[in-house]
């Protein structure tokens, strides 16, 4: 055990980036607001570098409650890089938003809480990290400034508060049963606790964790928040919190779940089956690409539970989970980057995309096939490792069910991919006409939104049809720049997914010899 603050340097970089960004944003007249994304980006970059350096050092526990091991180090790097990509995706939207400073600061605070979830070695630290990992997301979901965003924020908050209270109840009951909140000591004392009592407590404790990962039964917020929140926020909340939550769940499983006599593995296996099956079946009927990605992320949570089910029983479980999380993060963010760059939420809006923008069509295809688990993408290797871990851990039936679900998922991803390569109009498609559908949350020049050209004054027309001013024109330019940044992020994410899949495939092949 060590009490050196430098052990928490990656977390301090994130915290300092958020604080300095907030201070800089207080002086917009002096250009401080323009510096906020750069300050936050530097904080995230510092977190990546310091976490990489710390990974080469000795492990251990900091301040008797924060674990420094590969699980924490990989989570630090993955969360920081994923959040940095979200900052790029949010650049156009945040630049024209009156709360632009708060957007970037909230992203960093949520990332900080997510990292702390992974490193927590004590239930009190876990609870403390759960709050900053959740509350900033509630605020971000409502910053779209429209009815859909407000509804998304309200649903996100109410679901999170309810399931979070259940998790707090579980922590309290565990302390009452074992007299400690330390994972290590809990592992020593839980064998003496009646299995029925432990089983009930674990069910309650899992409520908040399943909310964070978007697993059944805590998944209800995912489709509405993904559709109603701004696209960059939807990309963040369906990706980054999952990383820390799964790492925390894995640490709990190896720390004290495994010591109990309760059959928690079967419980998580059943949750995994329900999550992946529900996500895949619900995605079939979606005409809105955001809702399709929402149910896709629910199904991915089911696959990611496989290594957790066999935690402590199969050697490849931890590397399988960590690699899969990194692969999923880059691939899912790449898909959202295409959505932001194209500016369409309806499936019909992507008809003919290959003719209009071959690069985006290629990136979208790579990311969607990557989410299926098609070689040579990174998610393919992640799924292969997860299935292998489940098989080696004695849950062959779960691996078979997951493989069958993977095949089924191909059909709804193809519903999105096929129209991309069909001939179609080059203009923007009509907004999603389904109940609850919404127009894209970005402004477009008049004459390109399909609503009848100019407004008669030579001004700009927003997506909502309002007549703009010079300020609106600036926001449109910011949105155009943001869509270009999103396109570059999509290209980069697709390339990284393929390169990571190829490199890991080669390493696995060499390691198997």
């Amino acid at each position: 055990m060590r009490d050196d603050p430098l052990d928490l340097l990656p977390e301090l970089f994130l915290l300092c980036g958020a604080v300095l960004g907030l201070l800089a944003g207080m002086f917009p007249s002096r250009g401080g607001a323009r510096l906020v994304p750069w300050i936050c980006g530097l904080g995230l970059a510092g977190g990546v570098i310091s976490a990489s350096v710390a990974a080469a050092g000795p492990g251990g526990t900091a301040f008797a409650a924060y674990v420094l091991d590969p699980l924490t180090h990989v989570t630090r790097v993955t969360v920081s890089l994923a959040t940095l990509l979200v900052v790029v995706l949010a650049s156009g939207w945040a630049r024209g938003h009156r709360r632009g400073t708060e957007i970037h600061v909230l992203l960093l605070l949520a990332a900080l809480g997510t990292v702390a979830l992974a490193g927590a070695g004590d239930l009190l630290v876990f609870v403390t990290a759960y709050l900053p990992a959740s509350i900033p997301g509630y605020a971000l979901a409502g910053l779209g400034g429209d009815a859909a965003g407000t509804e998304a924020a309200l649903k996100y908050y109410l679901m999170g508060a309810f399931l979070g209270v259940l998790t707090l109840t579980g922590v309290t009951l565990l302390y009452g049963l074992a007299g400690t909140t330390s994972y290590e000591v809990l592992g020593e004392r839980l064998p003496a606790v009646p299995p029925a009592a432990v089983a009930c407590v674990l069910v309650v404790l899992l409520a908040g964790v399943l909310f964070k990962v978007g697993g059944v039964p805590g998944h209800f917020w995912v489709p509405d928040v993904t559709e109603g929140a701004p696209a960059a926020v939807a990309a963040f909340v369906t990706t980054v919190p999952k990383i820390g939550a799964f790492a925390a769940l894995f640490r709990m499983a190896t720390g004290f779940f495994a010591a109990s006599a309760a059959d928690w593995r079967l419980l998580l296996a059943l949750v995994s089956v329900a999550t992946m099956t529900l996500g895949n079946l619900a995605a079939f009927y979606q005409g809105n690409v955001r809702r399709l990605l929402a149910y896709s992320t629910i199904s991915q949570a089911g696959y990611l539970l496989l290594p957790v089910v066999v935690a402590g029983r199969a050697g490849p479980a931890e590397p399988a989970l960590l690699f899969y999380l990194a692969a999923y993060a880059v691939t899912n963010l790449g898909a959202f980057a295409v959505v932001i760059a194209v500016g369409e939420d309806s499936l019909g809006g992507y008809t003919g995309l290959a003719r209009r923008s071959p690069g985006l069509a290629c990136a979208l295809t790579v990311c969607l096939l990557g989410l299926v688990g098609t070689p040579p993408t990174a998610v393919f290797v992640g799924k292969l490792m997860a299935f292998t871990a489940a098989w080696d851990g004695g849950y062959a039936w779960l691996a078979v069910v997951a493989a069958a679900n993977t095949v089924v998922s191909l059909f709804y991803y193809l519903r999105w991919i096929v129209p991309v390569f069909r001939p179609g109009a080059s203009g923007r498609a009509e907004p999603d006409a389904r109940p609850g559908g919404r127009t894209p949350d970005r402004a477009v020049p008049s004459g390109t939104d399909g609503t009848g050209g100019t407004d008669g004054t030579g001004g700009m027309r927003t997506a909502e049809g309002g007549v703009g001013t010079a300020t609106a024109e600036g926001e449109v330019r910011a949105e155009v720049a943001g869509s270009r940044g999103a396109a570059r992020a999509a290209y980069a994410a697709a390339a990284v997914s393929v390169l990571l899949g190829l490199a890991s495939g080669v390493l696995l092949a060499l390691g198997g010899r």
Side-chain angles (χ1 to χ4, degrees):
M1 184 187 73
R2 301 191 301 271
D3 292 336
D4 186 357
L6 292 180
D7 287 333
L8 304 180
L9 192 57
E11 289 80 5
L12 292 175
F13 266 110
L14 298 182
L15 178 61
C16 290
V19 172
L20 293 177
L22 186 60
L23 292 176
M26 295 173 64
F27 303 96
S29 61
R30 300 184 181 182
R34 291 195 298 271
L35 295 176
V36 174
W38 295 98
I39 293 172
C40 293
L42 288 174
L44 292 165
V48 172
I49 295 171
S50 57
S52 302
V53 172
T61 304
F63 300 98
Y66 199 80
V67 185
L68 304 172
D69 61 1
L71 196 62
T72 301
H73 298 318
V74 174
T75 301
R76 285 167 162 176
V77 174
T78 307
V79 168
S80 298
L81 287 175
T83 307
L84 186 59
L85 185 57
V86 173
V87 169
V88 174
L89 296 181
S91 60
W93 167 58
R95 193 179 303 132
H97 200 287
R98 64 190 184 94
R99 297 294 184 187
T101 296
E102 289 86 338
I103 290 170
H104 292 100
V105 170
L106 289 171
L107 287 173
L108 257 70
L109 291 177
L112 175 61
T114 300
V115 170
L117 280 176
D122 188 285
L123 288 173
L124 296 182
V125 178
F126 170 79
V127 169
T128 304
Y130 183 89
L131 297 177
S134 303
I135 296 175
Y138 307 152
L140 286 167
L143 286 178
D146 55 6
T150 303
E151 180 183 355
L154 185 60
K155 290 181 177 178
Y156 197 13
Y157 164 71
L158 291 176
M159 182 68 69
F162 173 68
L163 296 179
V165 168
L166 291 180
T167 293
L168 287 174
T169 303
V171 171
T172 305
L173 293 175
L174 263 182
Y175 178 75
L177 290 171
T180 182
T181 55
S182 169
Y183 290 3
E184 183 178 356
V185 182
L186 278 170
E188 298 171 357
R189 298 183 182 179
L190 280 185
V193 179
V198 175
C200 293
V201 170
L202 293 184
V203 169
V204 179
L205 180 66
L206 285 172
V209 182
L210 291 175
F211 162 77
K212 296 303 296 178
V213 304
V216 172
H219 68 285
F220 291 103
W221 64 272
V222 180
D224 291 328
V225 173
T226 305
E227 181 183 16
V233 175
F236 181 83
V237 299
T238 58
T239 306
V240 175
K242 270 184 175 17
I243 303 170
F246 270 112
L249 183 57
F250 190 90
R251 192 180 301 285
M252 289 180 182
T254 55
F256 59 92
F257 284 11
S260 70
D263 196 355
W264 60 272
R265 296 185 192 275
L266 179 60
L267 171 64
L268 285 181
L270 295 176
V271 170
S272 172
V273 171
T275 300
M276 67 178 77
T277 304
L278 182 145
N280 286 329
L281 293 180
F284 273 107
Y285 305 99
Q286 303 306 317
N288 182 293
V289 296
R290 292 212 214 172
R291 293 186 73 88
L292 189 150
L293 285 174
Y295 285 109
S296 167
T297 196
I298 292 173
S299 69
Q300 296 294 331
Y303 305 132
L304 283 161
L305 280 171
L306 266 66
V308 181
V309 171
V310 294
R313 180 180 289 184
E318 182 173 331
L321 177 66
L322 292 176
F323 185 85
Y324 195 166
L325 283 171
Y328 165 75
V330 68
T331 308
N332 194 59
L333 289 177
F336 271 101
V338 175
V339 173
I340 294 172
V342 175
E344 282 290 345
D345 287 352
S346 63
L347 280 175
Y350 290 81
T351 302
L353 180 64
R355 182 167 63 88
R356 305 197 303 269
S357 179
L360 285 176
C362 180
L364 179 63
T365 302
V366 169
C367 290
L368 293 182
L369 290 179
L371 290 173
V372 175
T374 307
T377 60
V379 174
F380 165 73
V381 179
K383 281 191 175 182
L384 182 63
M385 294 173 67
F387 295 172
T388 302
W391 192 285
D392 292 345
Y395 279 81
W397 66 270
L398 182 58
V400 171
V401 172
N405 267 277
T406 297
V407 175
V408 170
S409 69
L410 176 63
F411 294 97
Y412 66 80
Y413 288 116
L414 286 177
R415 287 186 61 233
W416 191 352
I417 294 174
V418 170
V420 168
F421 296 94
R422 285 177 181 159
S426 60
R428 294 168 60 90
E430 292 298 320
D432 185 9
R434 296 182 314 101
R438 60 174 288 173
T439 55
D441 45 69
R442 67 174 180 141
V444 296
S446 58
T448 63
D449 61 355
T451 58
T454 64
D455 57 4
T457 64
M460 305 294 286
R461 190 196 305 271
T462 64
E464 286 76 19
V467 177
T469 61
T471 302
E473 292 178 8
E475 292 181 1
V476 169
R477 287 193 293 270
E479 293 291 352
V480 170
S483 65
R484 290 172 181 168
R488 297 188 185 101
Y491 303 149
V496 169
S497 178
V498 173
L499 292 175
L500 190 59
L502 290 172
S504 57
V506 171
L507 291 176
L508 287 175
L510 294 176
R513 292 181 179 179

